[in-house]
């Protein structure tokens, strides 16, 4: 298993299996969170505007309730557990 702090190789120098292990260490629940975000957009809970802020990101309105916002918070666990 590839240690998360092993920066002796580039992304292209590690195997596909090592790449997947590394991604899973960073954020194993990405698919569920992406599905949640898509549902919030489709249901009008997050509205992406047609304007860009000073950081060149699209502005948006967040109409989710507290529980939905907490559900969407990203938690990264670097020890692989």
């Amino acid at each position: 298993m590839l240690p998360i702090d092993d920066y002796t190789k580039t992304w292209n120098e590690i195997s596909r299996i090592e790449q997947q292990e590394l991604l899973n260490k960073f954020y194993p629940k990405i698919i569920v969170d992406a599905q949640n975000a898509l549902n919030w957009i489709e249901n009008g809970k997050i509205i992406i505007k047609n304007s860009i802020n000073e950081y060149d990101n699209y502005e948006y309105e967040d109409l989710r309730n507290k529980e939905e916002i907490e559900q969407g918070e990203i938690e990264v666990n670097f020890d692989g557990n």
Side-chain angles (χ1 to χ4, degrees), residues 25-77:
K25 284 182 180 180
F26 278 119
Y27 201 38
K29 298 184 295 182
I30 191 79
I31 292 175
V32 171
D33 288 337
Q35 289 170 334
N36 286 338
L38 183 58
N39 285 332
W40 291 323
I41 292 169
E42 289 174 344
N43 294 320
K45 297 278 187 151
I46 295 176
I47 301 169
I48 300 173
K49 298 181 178 183
N50 197 21
S51 56
I52 296 177
N53 65 19
E54 64 269 16
Y55 303 108
D56 287 332
N57 297 319
Y58 281 95
E59 294 183 351
Y60 64 94
E61 277 187 65
D62 191 343
L63 305 174
R64 297 174 295 161
N65 62 39
K66 182 180 178 183
E67 182 179 296
E68 290 168 326
I69 291 170
E70 288 174 356
Q71 182 183 8
E73 291 178 353
I74 296 173
E75 181 178 319
V76 179
N77 187 351

